[in-house]
């Protein structure tokens, strides 16, 4: 973030404001961790702050300190709109285009608040007054840590904030193994541990709360896996019926796509999951090396993300989606070999 913006934000936050903090739709650990850490920080500074999430998130995030205070736009619309309309500062975290907050975008885009974006995804849209965008960052949580340091308040990081920030860095880096994990990321993590984040408790709370049906759903997904050797690609499908059979809960399929990528020689892994509520297929894409799933998702499946992790959607049937996917792949044969 540049000096001029930091100075301006410092001045902006010197007086009390009505602040709304927004994560993306279907928020993950980085989105919830970063918004909660920022929320604690602003509240401790005497600001009126509230987190408004577009919708609910997995149960394995519901231990995070302050989580029960989050307002959900889809089920608490009136209350959420009241906060957004009254806001004079809006932080948007872990996304960079208002299309990522779904139906909430129409209310948010009407606001004349000062927008501050903190995000690490590619190709940020230009809706914010202050944009802190850095695609080299491991996570939005690492950026919120930096943001607090820019404001010279590192000493104000509480154990609650440290735990929230640790969680998002841990999950977005695949437990510190993806290439965006730098030595600086590890230094930030070390500082967060010194400030009270309990690494093994957090790991346990997020990763070791599986239900038997979730593991059975994983078994089903792995059985459905198809390897396309000519393209060093693997894809997995999960139908509505299969999700229902294994008592699907929000967040159950998180990480499934990575199993495909663990196969020797595989450069591109995809999972296609039928949405239970609406008639579309949600896709998660992962890659190794230079193959950009961000570009792939943007060009063909109305999505985006990072070079090695992106998402998108398809409004076709599962059969047609897979057919389209395979057809598109032919144009990437050289890149994938
Ligand atoms: P996931 O596959 O875990 O849902 O998402 C992988 C990455 O891509 C995340 O950083 C997520 O924010 C981003 N992403 C997922 N779905 C979409 C989408 O539909 N559009 C865009 N622009 N990004 C997405
Ligand atoms: Mn993130």
């Amino acid at each position: 973030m540049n000096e001029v913006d930091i100075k301006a934000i410092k001045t902006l936050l010197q007086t009390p404001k009505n602040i709304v903090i927004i994560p993306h739709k279907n928020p993950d650990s980085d989105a919830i961790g970063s918004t909660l850490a920022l929320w604690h920080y602003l509240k401790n500074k005497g600001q009126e702050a509230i987190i408004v999430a577009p919708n609910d998130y997995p149960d394995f995030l519901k231990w995070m300190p302050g989580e029960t205070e989050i307002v959900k736009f889809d089920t608490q619309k009136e209350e959420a709109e009241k906060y957004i309309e009254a806001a004079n500062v809006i932080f948007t975290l872990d996304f960079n285009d208002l299309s990522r907050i779904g139906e909430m975008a129409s209310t948010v885009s009407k606001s004349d608040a000062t927008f501050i974006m903190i995000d690490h995804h590619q190709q940020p849209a230009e809706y914010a007054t202050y944009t802190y965008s850095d695609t080299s960052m491991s996570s939005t949580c690492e950026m919120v840590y930096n943001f607090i340091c820019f404001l010279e308040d590192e000493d104000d990081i509480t154990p609650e904030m440290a735990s929230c920030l640790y969680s998002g860095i841990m999950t977005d880096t695949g437990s510190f193994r993806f290439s965006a994990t730098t030595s600086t990321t590890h230094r930030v993590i070390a500082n967060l541990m010194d400030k009270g984040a309990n690494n093994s408790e957090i790991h346990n709370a997020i990763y070791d709360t599986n239900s038997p049906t979730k593991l059975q759903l994983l078994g089903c997904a792995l059985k459905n896996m198809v390897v396309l050797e000519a393209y060093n690609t693997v894809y997995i499908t999960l139908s509505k019926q299969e999700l229902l059979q294994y008592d699907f809960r929000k967040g159950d399929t998180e990480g499934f796509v990575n199993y495909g990528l663990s196969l020797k020689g595989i450069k591109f892994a995809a999972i296609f999951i039928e949405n239970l509520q609406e008639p579309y297929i949600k896709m998660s894409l992962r890659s190794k090396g230079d193959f950009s799933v961000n570009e792939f998702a943007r060009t063909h499946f109305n999505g985006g993300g990072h070079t090695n992790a992106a998402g998108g959607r398809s409004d076709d049937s599962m059969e047609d989606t897979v057919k389209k996917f395979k057809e598109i792949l032919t144009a990437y044969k050289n890149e994938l070999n």
Side-chain angles (χ1 to χ4, degrees), residues 270-285:
I271 188 167
F272 308 125
I273 305 170
E274 277 182 1
N275 191 295
L276 284 181
Q277 281 86 35
E278 295 159 67
Y280 72 90
I281 290 170
K282 154 84 185 139
M283 33 209 300
S284 284
L285 308 171

Side-chain angles (χ1 to χ4, degrees), residues 254-288:
E254 235 166 79
F256 282 14
V257 65
N258 294 317
Y259 284 90
L261 212 55
S262 73
L263 290 171
K264 193 173 177 186
I266 290 296
K267 287 189 182 159
F268 182 20
I271 188 167
F272 308 125
I273 305 170
E274 277 182 1
N275 191 295
L276 284 181
Q277 281 86 35
E278 295 159 67
Y280 72 90
I281 290 170
K282 154 84 185 139
M283 33 209 300
S284 284
L285 308 171
R286 300 290 185 271
S287 68
K288 276 194 178 147

Side-chain angles (χ1 to χ4, degrees), residues 29 37 63 75 96 101 124 138 144 159 181 193 204 248 301 319 335:
S29 163
W63 59 271
T75 53
N96 62 19
I101 57 175
S138 70
V144 167
T181 316
M193 287 172 74
N204 191 51
F248 171 79
F301 291 103
E319 203 187 333
E335 240 184 286

Side-chain angles (χ1 to χ4, degrees), residues 194-260:
D194 288 343
K195 289 179 186 301
N198 185 319
N199 58 323
S200 67
E201 269 180 23
I202 292 172
H203 192 279
N204 191 51
I206 291 187
Y207 289 120
D208 297 339
T209 50
N210 289 330
S211 63
T213 49
K214 180 195 153 167
L215 293 190
Q216 284 155 357
L217 182 65
L218 172 62
C220 174
L222 295 179
K223 264 193 185 158
N224 292 349
M225 186 175 78
V226 177
V227 180
L228 303 169
E229 260 178 65
Y231 302 98
N232 292 314
T233 294
V234 54
Y235 72 88
I236 292 171
T237 57
L238 277 176
S239 68
K240 222 181 226 189
Q241 216 175 359
E242 289 164 332
L243 295 173
L244 293 172
Q245 183 184 349
Y246 296 107
D247 193 26
F248 171 79
R249 294 275 178 271
K250 210 179 225 330
D252 276 357
T253 56
E254 235 166 79
F256 282 14
V257 65
N258 294 317
Y259 284 90

Side-chain angles (χ1 to χ4, degrees), residues 159-174:
E160 290 77 18
M161 290 159 67
S163 300
C164 293
L165 294 175
Y166 186 102
S167 303
I169 299 175
M170 178 185 78
T171 52
D172 261 32
T173 57

